Amino acid sequence: MPVEQPDPSALAALRRRALGVLSSLPPDALELGEIFKAAGHELALVGGPVRDAFLGRASADLDFTTSASPDQTLALLARWGDAHWDIGKEFGTIGARRFAGRRSSQAEDVVVEVTTYRTDEYDPTSRKPVVAFGDSLEGDLSRRDFTVNSMAVRLPELTFVDPFDGLTDLAAGILTTPVDPRQSFDDDPLRMMRAARFAAQLGFAVDAAARTAIVDMADRIAIVSAERVRDELSKLLVSSSPRDGLQVLVETGLADHVLPELPALRLEIDEHHRHKDVYEHSLTVLDKAIALETGPDGPVPGPDLVLRLAALLHDIGKPRTRRFEEGGGVSFHHHEMVGAKLVAKRLKELRFDKATVSAVARLTELHLRFHGYGEGAWTDSAVRRYITDAGPLLERLHRLTRSDCTTRNLRKAARLSAAYDDLEHRIAALQEQEELDAIRPDLDGTQIMAILDLQPGREVGEAYKFLLELRMERGPLGPDAAREELLAWWATRP
């Protein structure tokens, strides 16, 4: 199906917007065009920076492509920059930095990466492309993932190059591949993940041909390394609208291969319609959690990957624990414990770091702890345990728990919100009174050994644990009262 052509005035507006952004590029970056031209080489700004210019956004990345070889580029950048690196030389990429104010009045350092024209060759059984250098800008642009990323601006003339009509797709908000999508996705299956990521980042739709190709070729993603898939998934989740990208993953079948627990949440509704669509519920929890992220000076600065992963995956234990009860009810007993194990397993397979795996699994395990608070008053001991069990994840747990209330029953929602308000007020009061962030027993190990005349060993640990439990139950006692309690406990030991 052909893409409907955007209004000419919309295209004109995009061009005017891009001209304003491109004209404000750092003079030191534009100077590169003159340097490469004087040396007999072509240079063009490509990819995201060009796309973002048409969207009216200045890009922090300055990516160029050139007809120069990597060695020639290295020599030119070494003269232009105050620092340079060739860590990407194998792939034709050389980087350089010019420090702020060294040669002009720019306020910030200028960092560039320049890559020799590429024509990738792929082994369909390999996870890595074979790098082959090309000989034209148009050929280089043809190997890029989508037409909106296949636009360039030649320097120093600032000539716009758009051989695949990416500007039309940009104006229409459509993701189209510059070559046949099956060829493109077969060459690099990760481009299918990028389609979902750009849907989330840009709010664009995947065109019909590309979507069909993803559906037919989704299993090809298995050839891509877990690390590359993880990076794309992470970029998708910290985007402005992750729901859009996640829906692409699920609807095309890609999620079945990279995050199968997510489509598994689309539980069929029981005949009495008494439980939620857990998949839609999880997306809603994610939306609500994002809305509760804070600014950079707040306790949970957005975008927060840990919170977003926990919001998305907190209920993945439900399919494993679903039980149909007598009378038509449905239960998911202990789904939080099962879910925590599934979260850890999946995130480890995706090669997330240990801290992220641990945090998301812990939040999944704790996300139901609050339920029941409103039905009966928690003791101070229960509140202390809630705080210490959450540890440094407490602020994220607050947001996850609040977001997990997606009921349409306004009275129930108000009741749950009021109950959690009350819990947060009690937590704040206890923290202020007792400095629970660093909770310790009233006596340390040295004091315990002196009072009980013990040497370091298991018994000291047991005594310490007793005093910690006592501290949790009754709050601070002071050294004298704690000593009496310790001696009384010790006397009752067999």
Side-chain angles (χ1 to χ4, degrees):
M1 179 182 299
V3 177
E4 182 179 347
Q5 294 297 309
D7 186 281
S9 61
L11 290 173
L14 285 177
R15 290 191 177 95
R16 286 194 300 271
R17 189 186 300 161
L19 182 61
V21 173
L22 292 171
S23 64
S24 65
L25 285 172
D28 286 13
L30 296 176
E31 180 188 326
L32 277 175
E34 299 287 356
I35 292 173
F36 275 74
K37 183 178 181 179
H41 306 300
E42 297 176 358
L43 185 74
L45 186 70
V46 290
V50 179
R51 179 200 67 221
D52 288 346
F54 282 102
L55 294 174
R57 303 191 301 230
S59 177
D61 301 321
L62 290 176
D63 297 327
F64 297 89
T65 189
T66 181
S67 59
S69 70
D71 286 332
Q72 291 168 330
T73 298
L74 181 60
L76 293 173
L77 290 184
R79 295 201 298 268
W80 172 85
D82 297 302
H84 65 276
W85 52 94
D86 62 358
I87 192 170
K89 186 177 179 181
E90 177 186 356
F91 301 98
T93 300
I94 308 296
R97 179 189 299 268
R98 180 177 276 190
F99 299 144
R102 286 290 296 272
R103 293 176 175 82
S104 68
S105 60
Q106 89 270 2
E108 298 180 353
D109 291 357
V110 176
V111 181
V112 302
E113 285 194 342
V114 182
T115 302
T116 300
Y117 292 156
R118 292 260 303 267
T119 300
D120 289 344
E121 297 176 358
Y122 291 82
D123 178 346
T125 64
S126 173
R127 295 185 174 202
K128 295 181 180 180
V130 178
V131 177
F133 298 128
D135 56 9
S136 72
L137 175 59
E138 288 73 14
D140 182 88
L141 296 177
S142 72
R143 55 161 288 276
R144 296 179 181 267
D145 49 14
F146 300 102
T147 60
V148 296
N149 295 327
S150 298
M151 301 181 290
V153 175
R154 290 186 184 273
L155 299 180
E157 301 87 355
L158 293 181
T159 302
F160 180 51
V161 181
D162 185 17
F164 303 102
D165 209 12
L167 188 58
T168 295
D169 289 339
L170 190 71
I174 295 290
L175 293 171
T176 305
T177 55
V179 296
D180 182 273
R182 292 177 182 275
Q183 176 188 333
S184 180
F185 298 151
D186 193 54
D187 284 347
D188 186 358
L190 190 67
R191 290 170 178 166
M192 297 187 289
M193 287 286 296
R194 289 199 193 108
R197 192 239 295 181
F198 286 126
Q201 288 182 331
L202 303 175
F204 286 9
V206 182
D207 88 319
R211 181 178 282 265
T212 298
I214 295 173
V215 171
D216 293 343
M217 303 174 65
D219 60 344
R220 281 281 292 156
I221 198 67
I223 200 66
V224 179
S225 69
E227 291 82 358
R228 295 180 75 204
V229 170
R230 174 204 62 208
D231 290 347
E232 285 298 325
L233 181 61
S234 297
K235 291 174 183 177
L236 186 160
L237 285 172
V238 299
S239 69
S240 58
S241 183
R243 172 190 280 262
D244 293 342
L246 292 167
Q247 287 175 329
V248 171
L249 290 181
V250 171
E251 292 167 6
T252 60
L254 267 178
D256 293 331
H257 303 278
V258 300
L259 196 63
E261 294 81 4
L262 184 59
L265 293 176
R266 294 184 296 182
L267 301 172
E268 66 270 19
I269 304 299
D270 64 280
E271 59 180 326
H272 301 287
H273 300 277
R274 292 182 180 174
H275 74 273
K276 301 174 184 176
D277 180 331
V278 186
Y279 167 68
E280 285 296 332
H281 164 74
S282 299
L283 294 181
T284 300
V285 173
L286 174 61
D287 289 339
K288 295 181 70 174
I290 291 170
L292 291 176
E293 291 173 340
T294 67
D297 297 325
V300 185
D304 188 274
L305 180 61
V306 167
L307 175 61
R308 295 184 182 201
L309 279 167
L312 180 66
L313 302 177
H314 73 285
D315 272 346
I316 66 171
K318 281 190 170 180
R320 292 276 187 94
T321 58
R322 182 175 59 160
R323 297 291 182 272
F324 293 99
E325 309 291 350
E326 292 185 11
V330 181
S331 66
F332 304 97
H333 296 309
H334 305 300
H335 76 268
E336 72 281 12
M337 305 302 294
V338 172
K341 293 179 181 179
L342 292 174
V343 161
K345 181 175 183 292
R346 176 55 54 196
L347 296 186
K348 286 177 182 176
E349 289 182 358
L350 287 170
R351 304 292 192 271
F352 278 92
D353 61 275
K354 291 181 179 179
T356 298
V357 173
S358 176
V360 179
R362 186 62 167 161
L363 286 169
T364 302
E365 179 183 344
L366 294 175
H367 82 272
L368 285 184
R369 183 71 66 86
F370 165 73
H371 291 268
Y373 178 84
E375 284 133 29
W378 279 9
T379 63
D380 282 352
S381 172
V383 176
R384 290 187 189 99
R385 290 184 187 280
Y386 190 80
I387 298 169
T388 53
D389 286 350
L393 299 172
L394 182 61
E395 290 291 346
R396 290 184 174 112
L397 183 59
H398 286 336
R399 285 154 178 79
L400 176 60
T401 303
R402 286 188 179 276
S403 301
D404 196 26
C405 175
T406 60
T407 178
R408 295 180 182 178
N409 184 320
L410 297 181
R411 288 187 178 181
K412 181 179 179 181
R415 185 170 67 250
L416 288 171
S417 179
Y420 208 86
D421 285 344
D422 182 69
L423 175 59
E424 286 202 56
H425 290 151
R426 289 183 64 188
I427 288 172
L430 281 170
Q431 285 179 320
E432 182 177 356
Q433 176 186 344
E434 303 177 16
E435 297 182 351
L436 279 176
D437 286 340
I439 190 168
R440 296 288 186 275
D442 294 275
L443 302 173
D444 62 24
T446 301
Q447 292 169 307
I448 290 170
M449 289 189 288
I451 293 169
L452 300 181
D453 192 25
L454 294 175
Q455 295 298 314
R458 178 176 57 82
E459 291 176 321
V460 178
E462 292 177 356
Y464 186 93
K465 183 178 180 181
F466 163 74
L467 289 174
L468 181 59
E469 291 286 335
L470 193 66
R471 171 75 169 79
M472 296 287 292
E473 292 289 338
R474 294 168 51 182
L477 301 176
D480 293 338
R483 182 178 186 278
E484 292 180 10
E485 293 286 351
L486 177 63
L487 289 170
W489 169 79
W490 185 253
T492 64
R493 282 172 50 86

